[in-house]
Amino acid sequence: MPAQPLTAHQQKAFEGILGFLDDPGLHAFLLLGYAGTGKTFLLRHVLEVCEEAGLKTVLLAPTGRAARILEQATQREASTIHRALYEQTREYCTDEGYRAEFSLRENEDPDTTLYLIDEASMLSDMEADSEELCFGSGRLLLDLITYVSPYRSSRKLLFIGDPAQLPPVHQAGSPALARSYLHHSYGLQCAQATLTQVHRQQRDSRLLETATRLRSELHKAGHRSFHIVGNGHDIFERTPASLISAYARHLKRYTVPRIIWITHSNKAAHETNRAVRQALGYRSARLQQGELLMAARNHYSPEAFFMNGDQMRVVHLAPESETETVEVQLNYRDQKGVRVQLRYRQAQVRLLHEAPDAGPVRILLLENSLTDFRTGLLSAAAWVESMKRWQADPQGLELEAFRRQDARANALLVRFGYAITCHKAQGGAWETVILNPEHPVPLHKDAFIRWAYTALTRSRSKLCLSAPVRCRSLSNIRLMPIQPCEAFPETVATPPAEAHTPALPLTVRPADFHKAACYDLISGVCERSGVTLMGVTEEERGMCFRLGTGIAGSRIDAYFDHDGICAELVPRSPAGYKDDRLLRLYACLARQI
């Protein structure tokens, strides 16, 4: 058994898993736990027990990065779910593009095998929308359960994950971590344990405090209020320019970086990668020796296996004079005669997850993939080019054998790896995370809270922000320009009664709470700017504030979103910007929000 003992909380969950293994009526166990609660540590104890009992265990994860982390944490072989479940059965290219089809393997594992799926919050049960790669039914969770078939054998599933992290793309929740979903959709009888006591960060850590606050906000139905701000201890605020400079210095100093930059989108990651490369002195868009790369797909090399998401350093790069450039013309979807240049370049790379004394790996890179994100078109062009060389091959090999040994057909697709999306970072951990909190989703939405929680919990010790995050019920209001209007309507209602109560009871409906908060904002600004609040008309999706500016008809219309939160304020006056008092109130309001 691992030397360090389990805590009382972990011991209870451990005993629950042992009971699950002994109960033939249970198909799956859900081990839920927040970041740093010791899920992986507990997993090592489970593996030890299974090995002592002679039970076969299979360690799986949804992504290459998560599988690598799982391998390192358990000191046992782990695989991506895709690699374990599927085998390629067909590969072809039409005018619609390149397509590779993978079917479900036959399961030859013993009937008593236990499958342990880490980072199960990422496991999707929606049909994948990839037009290039088709895996089984397209629904990963369905295929996993079909492959294991726990209700037809004694095989069991152990799902491990954090329910507060990002769910699969395009899904509101994580189906593999939902006991009721697994039961109603697949008939699985499930047991469950939840770890809540955090051990990874220090107990006085602001990171822990912030993560705990973010988790608690997910369970609130109404008003949400939280902040992620610097404290000078483990959370820091810096300008984007200073963060890029500091990050570039770190990258020059350490071969294996201890810092990662996390963004909300591939576009933001691309822009950050470009800025960091410039800070490193790389003026050209072409690949340079010493650069940090990330595998964009799984790759089977004779020297190493690259998983999607693996980071690597370029140790040696063939000179540009030896770069092979091939022009391919093809029909692609609704485009005829598309010309694509494929640029191949030999390199030696060091995989960052390997031991320090591990030697470099020789690999052929498809250099275009660094800046051309049209992977479907690149794959189609590479297929067409490969087919032409196969048809001209004097050895007369079968197509499958030719492509298996052909370097160009197996060129590695890569991206610059200085900045990555939060989804790519899931399952990983770094000493320091740099986070750009700009996000298209409003701060009070579940999607932002889960994204922020997932990003900051990738850090083991420090978080650096390019801007502070402050969420209040009124933190996402858009203040519109002053609009001309006609006379004010005659019907005027009184302000919400709750607005005069300093501390509102928790039983107030969320919509009423936000309307009262909006009233507090407008009335406070009126008082500070010397404008009398004449009255308020309250409606289901908005409020109208009548103002005593000396010009009849001056008002502010407040519009609320479907969650009952104020989204937009529109000042109106028959005099427009000539309404001096409204203009003064407007300036005060702009400073307030």
Side-chain angles (χ1 to χ4, degrees):
M1 295 290 286
Q4 186 178 345
L6 296 170
T7 66
H9 201 62
Q10 292 168 338
Q11 182 65 33
K12 184 177 180 181
F14 179 62
E15 291 171 359
I17 294 173
L18 295 182
F20 154 71
L21 293 175
D22 289 336
D23 189 339
L26 291 175
H27 306 120
F29 191 96
L30 277 58
L31 177 59
L32 311 182
Y34 306 134
T37 53
K39 297 186 298 295
T40 305
F41 176 65
L42 176 56
L43 180 58
R44 290 201 294 267
H45 282 261
V46 174
L47 290 169
E48 292 279 2
V49 168
C50 290
E51 289 167 0
E52 291 173 3
L55 291 178
K56 179 178 180 179
T57 56
V58 177
L59 293 173
L60 302 173
T63 67
R65 183 182 303 282
R68 292 292 190 202
I69 295 294
L70 186 58
E71 275 189 342
Q72 294 168 1
T74 62
Q75 296 299 301
R76 292 165 176 83
E77 183 181 354
S79 167
T80 62
I81 299 174
H82 287 83
R83 187 185 184 196
L85 264 61
Y86 303 108
E87 57 185 356
Q88 186 171 324
T89 53
R90 192 181 178 203
E91 186 181 26
Y92 58 95
C93 188
T94 67
D95 286 358
E96 295 301 312
Y98 168 83
R99 188 173 179 86
E101 295 179 356
F102 299 78
S103 61
L104 207 58
R105 298 179 189 273
E106 183 178 347
N107 192 339
E108 299 179 352
D109 293 329
D111 271 3
T112 55
T113 303
L114 173 65
Y115 298 83
L116 304 99
I117 299 91
D118 198 19
E119 299 293 343
S121 64
M122 304 166 66
L123 200 51
S124 175
D125 202 29
M126 284 183 62
E127 189 168 345
D129 57 2
S130 172
E131 297 179 351
E132 306 160 42
L133 306 176
C134 179
F135 293 95
S137 68
R139 294 167 55 191
L140 190 55
L141 180 59
L142 169 62
D143 286 347
L144 174 63
I145 294 173
T146 302
Y147 177 79
V148 174
S149 297
Y151 29 71
R152 296 177 184 171
S153 67
S154 298
R155 301 186 189 111
K156 290 176 179 285
L157 290 156
L158 174 54
F159 293 105
I160 306 135
D162 185 344
Q165 284 196 23
L166 280 173
V169 179
H170 304 313
Q171 292 196 256
S174 300
L177 297 182
R179 190 174 176 179
S180 60
Y181 183 91
L182 293 173
H183 177 68
H184 290 114
S185 299
Y186 296 104
L188 298 185
Q189 298 298 325
C190 306
Q192 178 175 313
T194 302
L195 301 176
T196 57
Q197 191 175 35
V198 178
H199 301 279
R200 180 185 296 167
Q201 292 113 341
Q202 298 298 319
R203 295 201 175 272
D204 61 349
S205 167
R206 184 70 65 84
L207 280 172
L208 171 57
E209 178 186 327
T210 303
T212 302
R213 180 63 182 269
L214 287 172
R215 283 200 313 267
S216 66
E217 294 297 317
L218 284 172
H219 303 294
K220 289 186 178 180
H223 173 68
R224 285 173 168 175
S225 177
F226 62 88
H227 60 262
I228 311 173
V229 296
N231 63 353
H233 176 59
D234 54 11
I235 302 181
F236 302 88
E237 295 175 27
R238 299 289 187 270
T239 64
S242 64
L243 286 173
I244 287 173
S245 298
Y247 188 29
R249 290 194 298 270
H250 176 86
L251 291 165
K252 290 177 181 178
R253 181 178 178 183
Y254 294 98
T255 302
V256 179
R258 303 173 185 177
I259 298 176
I260 193 63
W261 192 305
I262 295 179
T263 68
H264 79 273
S265 68
N266 287 317
K267 180 180 179 181
H270 174 62
E271 292 172 351
T272 304
N273 280 325
R274 183 171 53 191
V276 172
R277 293 187 72 247
Q278 289 177 350
L280 289 168
Y282 302 136
R283 305 303 177 191
S284 168
R286 300 293 295 273
L287 182 63
Q288 306 293 320
Q289 189 164 308
E291 296 231 52
L292 187 64
L293 303 179
M294 179 180 67
R297 278 189 183 168
N298 285 358
H299 179 83
Y300 305 90
S301 163
E303 296 187 43
F305 172 55
F306 294 79
M307 287 188 183
N308 188 354
D310 277 350
Q311 287 186 298
M312 67 199 81
R313 279 276 197 182
V314 178
V315 176
H316 177 75
L317 196 60
E320 291 195 24
S321 59
E322 297 180 16
T323 301
E324 297 179 276
T325 302
V326 181
E327 185 171 272
V328 179
Q329 182 172 338
L330 71 159
N331 298 331
Y332 183 70
R333 297 176 186 171
D334 58 346
Q335 305 174 61
K336 304 296 182 183
V338 180
R339 293 183 180 273
V340 180
Q341 280 197 339
L342 300 174
R343 194 167 63 249
Y344 299 98
R345 198 167 187 183
Q346 286 286 350
Q348 292 183 28
V349 300
R350 179 189 169 190
L351 288 160
L352 300 192
H353 63 268
E354 296 284 3
D357 57 350
V361 177
R362 183 179 174 85
I363 192 72
L364 184 67
L365 303 177
L366 182 57
E367 197 176 8
N368 307 54
S369 58
L370 286 166
T371 53
D372 190 340
F373 303 134
R374 301 173 299 172
T375 54
L377 178 59
L378 292 179
S379 298
W383 170 269
V384 170
E385 194 269 336
S386 177
M387 287 292 291
K388 289 180 179 178
R389 286 186 295 104
W390 170 66
Q391 292 167 354
D393 180 44
Q395 298 184 43
L397 294 174
E398 293 290 333
L399 176 61
E400 183 179 346
F402 174 82
R403 286 183 58 78
R404 190 165 51 245
Q405 69 178 30
D406 182 60
R408 287 188 196 169
N410 292 283
L412 179 62
L413 274 68
V414 289
R415 300 277 189 266
F416 289 116
Y418 306 105
I420 61 178
T421 65
C422 196
H423 274 101
K424 281 287 186 184
Q426 272 185 282
W430 292 261
E431 290 301 315
T432 301
V433 166
I434 301 175
L435 182 62
N436 177 357
E438 293 182 4
H439 201 286
V441 174
L443 302 183
H444 65 276
K445 299 285 188 179
D446 277 5
F448 177 84
I449 296 174
R450 290 185 184 277
W451 176 84
Y453 172 82
T454 304
L456 72 90
T457 53
R458 299 310 91 209
S459 169
R460 292 191 182 100
S461 59
K462 293 180 181 179
L463 176 70
C464 294
L465 297 165
S466 61
V469 177
R470 293 185 176 89
C471 178
R472 302 181 301 275
S473 62
L474 304 175
S475 62
N476 296 286
I477 295 177
R478 294 185 300 274
L479 179 59
M480 307 303 291
I482 297 175
Q483 303 291 322
C485 69
E486 298 179 358
F488 192 89
E490 294 299 326
T491 305
V492 177
T494 57
E498 297 90 345
H500 299 290
T501 306
L504 292 176
L506 296 178
T507 54
V508 173
R509 289 187 302 108
D512 290 342
F513 186 101
H514 294 303
K515 287 184 177 180
C518 184
Y519 174 84
D520 290 340
L521 171 69
I522 300 299
S523 61
V525 169
C526 285
E527 184 177 348
R528 285 190 292 277
S529 59
V531 174
T532 303
L533 180 58
M534 306 297 292
V536 181
T537 301
E538 182 182 356
E539 301 174 358
E540 183 181 358
R541 295 290 295 274
M543 300 174 74
C544 180
F545 298 85
R546 181 182 178 183
L547 306 174
T549 65
I551 297 179
S554 296
R555 66 181 188 269
I556 293 179
D557 292 330
Y559 298 96
F560 290 71
D561 63 17
H562 65 277
D563 290 325
I565 297 175
C566 185
E568 189 174 272
L569 294 176
V570 183
R572 303 183 191 276
S573 173
Y577 280 94
K578 293 181 180 180
D579 190 334
D580 293 336
R581 288 189 177 182
L582 180 60
L583 196 58
R584 187 165 65 244
L585 183 147
Y586 183 87
C588 185
L589 190 57
R591 289 193 298 270
Q592 182 74 16
I593 63 174

